[in-house]
């Protein structure tokens, strides 16, 4: 609900005349639920920023959060929510900081002992503050979504390097949990690397995979099958003893896929096999 | 209807599929290839599918059948140059192309056939003869 001009004016007067009392009370109330993660001084700095901008906006005659005159106020609020989102505060903690202004005004303006007019003003102001808080909430959600998207992208980029270990041998070291999306990316990159480097050997190293369940095994098996269709052979390496136990317990069959305990063993195996190919072809050429 | 050309290179028949396979084409290839193997007495067949964007279940099965037919006629079939996307699709479809050997490219396919001939001690007879004659005093 928008304020009318008089209500807006009266709020401005209150905020200006009793600025110090309100900002002190606001900071105090705002810092209370944050349980020491933000000191009163820090909370005060943030609320003071908001208060100054709010005063400026009201002075400019704004009666509504969505109006053009409130653009700067919205910018300050978004900046504040973004900061809180990045620092790891919850949405509630962020919104209550803004809502604390209600308590501050209630105490400072003496609404409890005030007449009917004061009460009516107070109701209008609180609904205005609610709007501010809702806006904060929305900015917070947007900021968090952006953070999640960024992290997802970074994770995908980081998590799937395909490295050439030796002539004709490429390796993909898997780190972290393997879900369907990642498994798909890993599979595509590995197969493309096989083509690009012309390698007939690929080593899938699962040292960095914390747990192997049937789903992860399924993804690995699919990758191996696809590589075989393209004419390359895969070795699975980096199986820790606990994981070997899990694999057996789950009854996962790796069939005729070569598995090795360490990446070094896998590389040795690949070199030996391609070495024997080389020896044979040399013998034939001789 | 287009037919897929079958080229004879030394002891190997090379089939290079450059356009998307229609079902009729696949069947025609199956017939032609059997005939050519018998005519030439080749013991190796390389099917290059680098140009194929799509391998559906029918083409996949036809490739399997061709491999089986070739084996009956005592020739080894190697499918080479499958694209990553095609391989992924086939695996997702659950088609493993049983009985087909694969290689990354034509060159490696040739090596594989040569090695196999070696292992079977079936290097081309005339070649071996020459070799032995040149060694003998």
């Amino acid at each position: 609900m928008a304020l009318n001009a008089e209500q807006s004016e009266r709020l401005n007067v209150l905020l200006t005349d009793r600025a110090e009392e309100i900002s002190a009370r606001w900071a105090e109330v705002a810092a209370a639920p944050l349980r020491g993660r933000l000191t009163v001084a820090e909370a005060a700095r943030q609320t003071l920023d908001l208060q100054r901008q709010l005063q400026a906006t009201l002075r400019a005659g704004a009666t509504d959060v969505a109006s053009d005159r409130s653009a700067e106020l919205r910018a300050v609020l978004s900046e504040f929510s973004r900061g809180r989102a990045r620092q790891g505060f919850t949405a509630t903690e962020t919104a209550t900081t803004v809502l604390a202004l209600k308590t501050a005004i209630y105490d400072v303006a003496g609404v409890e002992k005030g007449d009917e007019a004061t009460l009516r003003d107070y109701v209008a102001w609180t609904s205005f503050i609610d709007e501010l808080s809702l806006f904060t909430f929305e900015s917070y959600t947007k900021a968090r979504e952006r953070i999640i998207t960024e992290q997802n992208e970074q994770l995908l980029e980081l998590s799937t390097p395909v490295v050439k270990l030796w002539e004709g041998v490429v390796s993909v070291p898997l780190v972290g949990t393997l879900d369907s999306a990642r498994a798909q990316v890993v599979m595509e990159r590995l197969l493309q690397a096989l083509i690009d480097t012309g390698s007939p050997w690929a080593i899938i190293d699962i040292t960095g995979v914390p747990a192997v369940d049937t789903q992860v095994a399924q993804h690995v098996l699919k990758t191996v099958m696809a590589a075989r269709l393209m004419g390359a052979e895969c070795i699975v390496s980096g199986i820790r003893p606990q994981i070997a136990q899990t694999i057996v317990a789950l009854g996962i069959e790796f069939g005729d896929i070569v598995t090795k305990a360490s990446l070094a063993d896998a590389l040795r195996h690949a070199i030996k096999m391609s070495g024997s190919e080389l020896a044979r072809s040399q013998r034939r050429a001789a | 209807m287009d037919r897929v050309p079958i080229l004879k290179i030394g002891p190997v028949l090379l089939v290079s599929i450059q356009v998307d396979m229609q079902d009729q084409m696949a069947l025609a290839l199956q017939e032609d290839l059997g005939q050519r193997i018998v005519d030439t007495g080749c013991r190796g067949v390389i099917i290059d599918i680098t140009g194929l964007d799509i391998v559906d279940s029918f083409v996949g099965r036809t490739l399997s059948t061709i491999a089986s037919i070739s084996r009956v006629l005592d020739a080894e079939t190697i499918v080479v140059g499958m694209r990553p996307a095609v391989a992924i699709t086939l695996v997702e479809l659950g088609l493993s192309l049983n009985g087909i050997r694969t290689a990354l490219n034509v060159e490696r396919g040739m090596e594989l056939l040569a090695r196999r001939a070696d292992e079977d001690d079936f290097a081309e007879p005339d070649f071996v003869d020459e070799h032995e004659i040149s060694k003998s005093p």
Side-chain angles (χ1 to χ4, degrees):
Chain A
M1 193 184 84
L3 298 171
N4 62 35
E6 295 88 51
Q7 286 164 339
S8 161
E9 177 58 28
R10 280 200 289 278
L11 180 57
N12 185 25
V13 169
L14 178 71
L15 285 176
T16 316
D17 289 354
R18 313 190 64 177
E20 274 164 31
E21 282 172 76
I22 289 180
S23 63
R25 184 77 187 120
W26 189 1
E28 196 188 327
V29 178
L34 301 178
R35 290 183 295 273
R37 279 198 287 158
L38 207 62
T39 61
V40 177
E42 281 173 278
R45 209 169 30 249
Q46 291 180 342
T47 52
L48 198 64
D49 272 355
L50 291 176
Q51 193 179 347
R52 287 209 184 109
Q53 191 53 53
L54 185 58
Q55 278 170 263
T57 310
L58 289 171
R59 227 184 350 264
T63 54
D64 191 355
V65 185
S67 72
D68 286 347
R69 287 175 182 163
S70 307
E72 275 184 55
L73 178 61
R74 285 200 302 271
V76 170
L77 280 173
S78 329
E79 186 54 42
F80 160 74
S81 325
R82 253 203 305 279
R84 285 288 180 91
R86 291 204 181 264
Q87 285 160 8
F89 288 95
T90 66
T92 311
E93 283 164 346
T94 310
T96 44
T97 300
V98 176
L99 289 172
L101 176 59
K102 287 209 266 190
T103 316
I105 289 177
Y106 185 83
D107 293 350
V108 173
V111 176
E112 205 171 19
K113 299 188 192 85
D115 52 14
E116 203 180 311
T118 323
L119 208 60
R120 209 172 288 129
D121 273 351
Y122 180 70
V123 170
W125 295 340
T126 51
S127 66
F128 179 67
I129 294 167
D130 284 341
E131 273 182 48
L132 294 183
S133 137
L134 280 177
F135 182 79
T136 316
F137 214 100
E138 248 172 61
S139 321
Y140 176 92
T141 321
K142 269 183 216 152
R144 279 297 280 262
E145 272 166 15
R146 198 171 313 124
I147 292 172
I148 292 170
T149 322
E150 280 170 15
Q151 285 175 342
N152 259 344
E153 282 167 9
Q154 285 168 356
L155 201 67
L156 274 184
E157 280 169 20
L158 280 178
S159 61
T160 52
V162 180
V163 288
K164 182 173 171 181
L165 280 187
W166 204 266
E167 201 56 52
V169 185
V170 293
S171 163
V172 51
L174 295 179
V175 178
T177 322
L178 204 62
D179 58 13
S180 299
R182 270 195 66 201
Q184 189 72 19
V185 175
V186 169
M187 193 195 266
E188 278 167 20
R189 295 241 176 119
L190 178 62
L191 299 185
Q192 194 54 49
L194 289 176
I195 298 263
D196 294 344
T197 61
S199 308
W201 288 93
I203 301 174
I204 301 174
D205 186 67
I206 58 168
T207 312
V209 179
V212 172
D213 53 13
T214 43
Q215 202 192 7
V216 172
Q218 187 69 15
H219 290 315
V220 172
L221 288 177
K222 273 186 186 170
T223 311
V224 174
M225 287 307 157
R228 275 195 181 161
L229 282 177
M230 289 172 54
E233 198 55 45
C234 286
I235 305 172
V236 180
S237 76
I239 302 173
R240 292 194 297 278
Q242 304 94 310
I243 289 188
Q245 285 186 25
T246 321
I247 289 174
V248 172
L250 288 174
I252 297 166
E253 286 284 340
F254 274 116
D256 53 349
I257 298 167
V258 181
T259 53
K260 294 283 176 187
S262 70
L263 185 58
D265 289 342
L267 181 59
R268 190 178 300 127
H269 178 81
I271 293 174
K272 203 174 87 188
M273 297 303 281
S274 46
S276 63
E277 277 174 34
L278 195 69
R280 250 197 300 259
S281 63
Q282 275 171 348
R283 203 166 53 231
R284 199 167 50 240
Chain B
M1 186 190 68
D2 290 338
R3 280 183 179 264
V4 183
I6 302 171
L7 315 172
K8 182 175 182 298
I9 302 178
V12 172
L13 288 179
L14 177 65
V15 180
S16 185
I17 303 169
Q18 300 292 346
V19 291
D20 274 339
M21 280 273 258
Q22 306 297 326
D23 292 358
Q24 282 303 313
M25 260 173 93
L27 289 176
L29 174 65
Q30 186 177 315
E31 277 172 34
D32 291 356
L33 195 60
Q35 190 60 46
R36 286 280 283 180
I37 292 172
V38 172
D39 290 350
T40 59
C42 284
R43 301 201 58 249
V45 177
I46 291 179
I47 303 178
D48 179 24
I49 57 167
T50 317
L52 276 191
D53 281 327
I54 300 160
V55 173
D56 58 18
S57 54
F58 184 81
V59 172
R61 195 153 50 83
T62 312
L63 287 176
S64 277
T65 315
I66 288 176
S68 304
I69 293 171
S70 308
R71 204 170 304 115
V72 172
L73 298 171
D74 195 23
E76 179 80 14
T77 304
I78 298 184
V79 171
V80 304
M82 188 183 290
R83 294 188 181 190
V86 173
I88 292 172
T89 316
L90 286 180
V91 171
E92 294 293 339
L93 284 175
L95 295 171
S96 54
L97 299 191
N98 282 329
I100 294 186
R101 303 193 65 180
T102 52
L104 281 177
N105 47 42
V106 177
E107 196 179 1
R108 290 203 179 272
M110 293 279 212
E111 276 173 25
L112 208 61
L113 282 177
R115 191 180 340 138
R116 204 183 145 71
D118 228 23
E119 277 168 7
D120 292 357
D121 205 13
F122 265 126
E124 308 83 82
D126 51 350
F127 189 80
V128 171
D129 286 348
E130 255 176 36
H131 190 68
E132 280 172 359
I133 290 164
S134 68
K135 276 279 177 69
S136 56

